[in-house]
Amino acid sequence: DGMPGAIDGGAGAAAAGGSSGRRSSSAAAADGAAAGDAPRLGKLAALGYSTEPGEKELQSLARQNPAALSRLSGFKVERAGFGSLEWLAPVDVRGLDLGEVISIERGEVAVYVAGEGSEPIKPPVGSGLNCPCRVVLTGVVRKAKQQQDAAAAAAAFRKRLARYCSEMGARFVDYKPDGGVWIFEVDHFSRYGVPMDEDSEEDADDEAAAAAGAQGG
């Protein structure tokens, strides 16, 4: 009589083990689905982009407190050697493929702007990443012409960048000639940047005004 009992016990253990395995698989699947809510760099990962918080931290947050991703404070995307975007208000980053909506190039940033593929759907102002943001672009420099004072040229370029910000509806914050660091803030997104190959009479006017200001000071 003990033998069937032993067999029944074995079958029960096997059933319990199977149930435990199913629960583990379900939990793993749930974790995987939750982690899928975290924003991902996609094709940007190979181009020197990174996020703050980092990808692993975002995935952990997606599993432990997914609601936090709907109003994430201090979110930042950076491309080494080119610049960064730091949102000034909490943003909804759930499920975002950043490679489909963000581009940081030399002297230019774009969010929700058509690229080589189809145009991404831009959410209303105040939704998704279409929110107030501080933009930092590096390597934004204008080479001084021959017999041109470097300080006057830098001052003129700073003035020109400030004018560009005004024309684009952005707020000029600062320009640092050392490293060509241009900082400005926007309330919502489109494409922002400086036409790096544009030379106009405005350059000469700005340089003359900057030189006159330097002499007067």
Side-chain angles (χ1 to χ4, degrees):
D1 290 342
M3 186 67 69
I7 293 174
D8 290 345
S19 176
S20 176
R22 285 193 296 273
R23 284 196 298 271
S24 296
S25 297
S26 298
D31 281 349
D37 286 339
R40 54 196 180 280
L41 285 169
K43 63 186 179 184
L44 300 182
L47 299 175
Y49 285 76
S50 61
T51 63
E52 187 179 316
E55 280 197 291
K56 289 185 178 179
E57 187 175 347
L58 289 169
Q59 291 170 1
S60 177
L61 190 62
R63 287 189 292 267
Q64 297 172 13
N65 185 17
L69 294 178
S70 67
R71 286 187 59 80
L72 185 64
S73 297
F75 185 59
K76 183 177 180 179
V77 177
E78 182 173 4
R79 185 181 185 187
F82 288 82
S84 65
L85 301 170
E86 182 174 2
W87 278 266
L88 303 176
V91 289
D92 186 351
V93 299
R94 291 173 297 178
L96 283 180
D97 183 345
L98 300 173
E100 296 300 320
V101 297
I102 289 178
S103 172
I104 304 176
E105 300 294 339
R106 180 71 65 221
E108 181 182 86
V109 296
V111 180
Y112 298 118
V113 174
E116 296 179 357
S118 59
E119 182 172 355
I121 299 174
K122 183 189 292 188
V125 173
S127 302
L129 298 181
N130 199 17
C131 295
C133 184
R134 171 167 286 208
V135 179
V136 177
L137 293 173
T138 60
V140 181
V141 296
R142 178 76 66 181
K143 291 183 179 179
K145 299 173 184 177
Q146 287 185 343
Q147 298 180 341
Q148 182 183 38
D149 180 74
F157 192 44
R158 176 189 176 91
K159 183 177 178 181
R160 185 173 181 178
L161 292 176
R163 184 171 63 249
Y164 277 135
C165 284
S166 179
E167 292 171 354
M168 295 185 299
R171 292 181 296 280
F172 178 81
V173 175
D174 198 7
Y175 176 68
K176 302 174 183 178
D178 186 13
V181 182
W182 180 23
I183 307 170
F184 58 94
E185 294 177 352
V186 300
D187 289 325
H188 57 84
F189 265 103
S190 179
R191 185 185 300 274
Y192 296 98
V194 55
M196 300 296 290
D197 58 350
E198 181 179 309
D199 282 313
S200 69
E201 294 178 359
E202 293 178 347
D203 287 329
D205 293 340
D206 287 347
E207 287 158 14
Q215 292 172 0

